[in-house]
Amino acid sequence: MQSWAVAAAGLLLGLLAAAGTLTAALTVTSSVTGVATVAVPWPLAGTMVAGVFLTTGVTDVLTTRAALSRSGVAAADPRVILPPRTPAGVASAGPLRAAGASMSRGGS
């Protein structure tokens, strides 16, 4: 929700800039032709707004999934450093132990 508020603020600032541009265009066309004319492409503007919020929502979901991809136990254990993910079919060496972490083996 916070990122949607930021996206909305960006859209409002863009709308403010566009309003200034349209005001200038109306002033110039009025002084040159005597009639102030401007055509706003509303379907394009609506598509842009919908695209901004859709992109914001998708990136929110992707970043949340990436942040929650580790298990809670692995995330809470400061001694375990997880290796980067390997592609499917490639063997992984497993978690690496941080320097100084005790590794006890039975009978040694």
Side-chain angles (χ1 to χ4, degrees):
M1 294 304 282
Q2 185 178 17
S3 58
W4 284 22
V6 172
L11 285 170
L12 287 175
L13 289 173
L15 179 65
L16 182 64
T21 301
L22 287 176
T23 302
L26 284 172
T27 303
V28 169
T29 57
S30 174
S31 66
V32 171
T33 63
V35 178
T37 56
V38 68
V40 178
W42 291 112
L44 178 63
T47 302
M48 183 192 66
V49 169
V52 165
F53 285 115
L54 178 66
T55 303
T56 301
V58 168
T59 55
D60 276 348
V61 169
L62 292 177
T63 53
T64 301
R65 287 186 66 192
L68 298 176
S69 64
R70 292 177 54 182
S71 70
V73 174
D77 188 0
R79 297 173 297 156
V80 176
I81 302 169
L82 295 177
R85 291 187 179 172
T86 55
V90 177
S92 173
L96 305 174
R97 293 282 171 188
S102 64
M103 293 178 47
S104 61
R105 295 182 185 217
S108 297

